[in-house]
Amino acid sequence: MKITTATIYMVALPTRRHHTWASKMTAPIGRHAIVRLGTDEGIEGWGEAPAGITWGGSAMRYYGESPETVRIVAADYLLPAVVGVDPREIAVVHARMDKAAKGHPYAKAMIDMACYDLAGRAMGVAVATLLGGSHRKGVELAHSLGIMSIERCLEEAQQAVAEGALTIKCKTGLDPVRDVELVRRLRELVGPDIKIRVDANEAYSHVAEAVAVTRAQEEYDIMLCEQPVAGAEGLSAVAQRIDTPVMADESAWTVEDIWELFDLGAAEFFSCYVTKPGGLFRARQQAETARRLGMMCDIGGSIETGIGNAANLALGAAVENAILPSVCPVSGAAESNRPEIAGIYYTDDLIRGSFRFEEGRVMAPTGPGLGIEVDVGKVEEYSVSEAITLDLGGGG
């Protein structure tokens, strides 16, 4: 089986509400690059890049990608490099992509995802099986509130919990007073059994501020403090002065980052993405490194469509140490049966049907490949520019 064709779409899904975090206050969610890979055997696979131009690491260590940069890099460099490659030979795919372009992990992740989908469909097994097998059937949902007024946060959290969410994730970092007050009032509202986690997305201006805010929030029982400041050194300084476990996100892109976090004592947890390390292949390596160092993780993401979220759930099922509640949406078409609020960020999706949401968990699809059926009509309906189709031929 050889990769022979590719179509790249630029889509924008309709959102339930504006969703923001400290480093992404203006750009909307839901504007993503989508790839549809074809083979000489007539099997197709789908991948997604929820790239954000403001999303990266500290001190320009990693940089932002956008749907537009993903399209250019994939069309001009990455896809020509993998023409004629068997998508089941995923290490070969990555070696070729890495030789064609340095960095650009979101563009590489989009192609990696489609290759895993192709491989699973060709072999009749789920992506989680290709990753080594499932340790669990689903991922516990953490419903993300985004940065909103306290009153809006409370209203949304109450309904999300009523619909089955067991964890609430608070985006913070822009107003220390608001951040403490929000956690206090959330705890009063949801009671002692619902987990609350906070995420400042590097936004606190210095270590002392992050420590002061987190110590005040600890009075109301927070389960973890995610990336309060920029850089592994800063995280280490915070971690030494608070009781709550620290989670690294913007500081955890690669296997090498995991070693740095461990050496500095900077984080007990990290957020494991399909996209940040460059795809499922690299994410599996990163997660296994962390497991051997005793570091647990959640499954992070950028509010993907059902395509990318299916990959997230496959990773969450297959990674042994992915035990933490995660922002994996309850992806589903507008006409499907799904919650109104819990895990819902878009009013429609690119897939038919919806993922199952049971006992606070989003269940991983079990069909071949990503286990989803992409609605091509919806992909075309939500496209914001003309698709690019590449006839890559059959050579190699």
Side-chain angles (χ1 to χ4, degrees), residues 11 14 74 88 103-104 118 186 195 215 229 253 288 296 313 317:
V11 303
R88 293 169 294 191
H104 298 279
L118 277 168
L186 271 174
K195 295 181 284 291
R215 283 178 172 172
V229 295
W253 287 63
E288 181 59 20
M296 303 297 107
L313 292 168

Side-chain angles (χ1 to χ4, degrees), residues 331-338 347-354 375 378:
S331 305
E335 61 273 15
S336 63
N337 182 24
R338 58 184 190 153
T347 59
D348 202 1
D349 212 292
L350 305 179
I351 61 172
R352 299 185 188 277
S354 68
D375 188 332
K378 291 283 182 71

Side-chain angles (χ1 to χ4, degrees), residues 107-142:
K108 291 174 180 176
M110 178 179 73
I111 295 170
D112 162 284
M113 197 183 300
C115 286
Y116 269 98
D117 192 24
L118 277 168
R121 291 178 188 275
M123 299 168 70
V125 299
V127 167
T129 301
L130 298 178
L131 294 172
S134 296
H135 290 278
R136 59 193 64 84
K137 295 181 178 179
V139 174
E140 183 178 327
L141 171 74

